[in-house]
Amino acid sequence: MIGRREVMAALAGGLAMPGIALAADRRVFTSSIALEDNRVLVAVGMNGKGPYIFMIDTGTYVSLIRPDLAKQLKLPVQGYEGSRGVGGRGSYAIYRADNFVIGGGIRQPSVVLEDSFDFGYQSDIYGALAAGILTATDTDLDFDRGELRIYPDGHGDRSGFVALDSEIPRADQADRGSRKIMATVLLEGRPIRCVLDTGAPSVLMLNQTAAKRLGLWDSGRAYAPLRPRGIGGTGPLARTIRVESLEMGGARHDRPLITLLGDTVGGNVDGILGLSFIRRFNLSIDSRGRKLWVQPSRQSVPEARYGLSGLWIEQEGGHVTVVAVGAGSPAAAAGMAVGDRIVDVPWDKAPAAIGGPPGRVVKLAVERGGARRDVEYTLKPYL
């Protein structure tokens, strides 16, 4: 897998590849990609400027740009619209960028971009390319070779790939914008329907309705609380749990950590399959057949982490307040509860005060109902 330096060099060097002749005179357009920090990265130029690092985000129907870059490039505003993500709904500006160059190998005269890319990614990632970069025509996303390949005349033979129980909606069935990729995944042997989202770094985010239907949203089950952030801002409290298995395309992931969302995002699917699992496959899109084909890749699933305390804290009225305590956690065993206030710790020091590596002994002064007490617990893996 190549790195971002090679990706940036491809665009900066102007490596426009007009098409390589294949069998039966099929053309292929190729761009370099990098898989870094559990993101699929590609270099982008627009309006004669760049290169800028963008993500490939198959979970979004319209390409995204950071508001500061849109203003810096003085992109013309085309209008405004509402969008919904894991953080809820928001209203965003729509811009047009001209002479759009992707990875040095793919050129488009203009692209529409929404300025909702403001939800906590690294400072050097400036936007995201929507699902249409893969689903508009036959396409390969090859993690092992570090390539995005587009076949305007059709893909041809897919030796080494297998077709999944999957669907890419027809253009007239898509809600709006890009067509997304949906596939069936086995969660502990039970089928669920998921959107494949290369912009989500987690293994799986399950809608709350599906989590309750499958018996996973159980008050007695051990979980670590978290609050997702995405398009629309910050979402409702969610839960990280460990499940027995996740399977797709003949590949099985044992005992993964997954996220149970605090609400339902996208009512026609059960959840969102993220890049941590998707990267185990090289992807091939059959646009006309509206199917996803996969072959095992050489990529591994990154190690997932969660807060070992089991606490989720927020700043409320100048106080560091506990808003969630995970069942089965060290903090729960120490008697901490929702509404407790952690005293004598400023907000900027609070995350470090409550957490840390396994074996660390945490000592906190806690106030509840006007009474103060000392709490002590030892951090350890509990999921």
Side-chain angles (χ1 to χ4, degrees), residues 186 203 243-248 251-257 276-277 280 301-302 304:
L186 297 180
V203 168
V243 295
E244 290 302 317
S245 63
L246 191 67
E247 297 178 69
M248 186 181 78
R252 177 184 169 105
H253 183 22
D254 290 317
R255 295 192 54 74
L257 291 170
S276 287
F277 193 72
R280 296 189 63 178
V301 177

Side-chain angles (χ1 to χ4, degrees), residues 88-136:
R89 294 189 179 276
S91 180
Y92 302 99
I94 300 294
Y95 295 89
R96 189 192 76 244
D98 296 325
N99 190 24
F100 205 80
V101 184
I102 302 170
I106 301 166
R107 294 180 182 271
Q108 295 179 289
S110 65
V111 169
V112 171
L113 300 154
E114 179 184 279
D115 72 344
S116 58
F117 196 85
D118 60 353
F119 42 90
Y121 291 121
Q122 296 97 320
S123 60
D124 61 344
I125 299 180
Y126 286 89
L129 301 181
I133 190 65
L134 297 185
T135 60

Side-chain angles (χ1 to χ4, degrees), residues 352-370:
I354 68 170
R360 180 183 175 229
V361 177
V362 175
K363 297 180 180 180
L364 301 171
V366 176
E367 185 180 271
R368 182 189 301 172

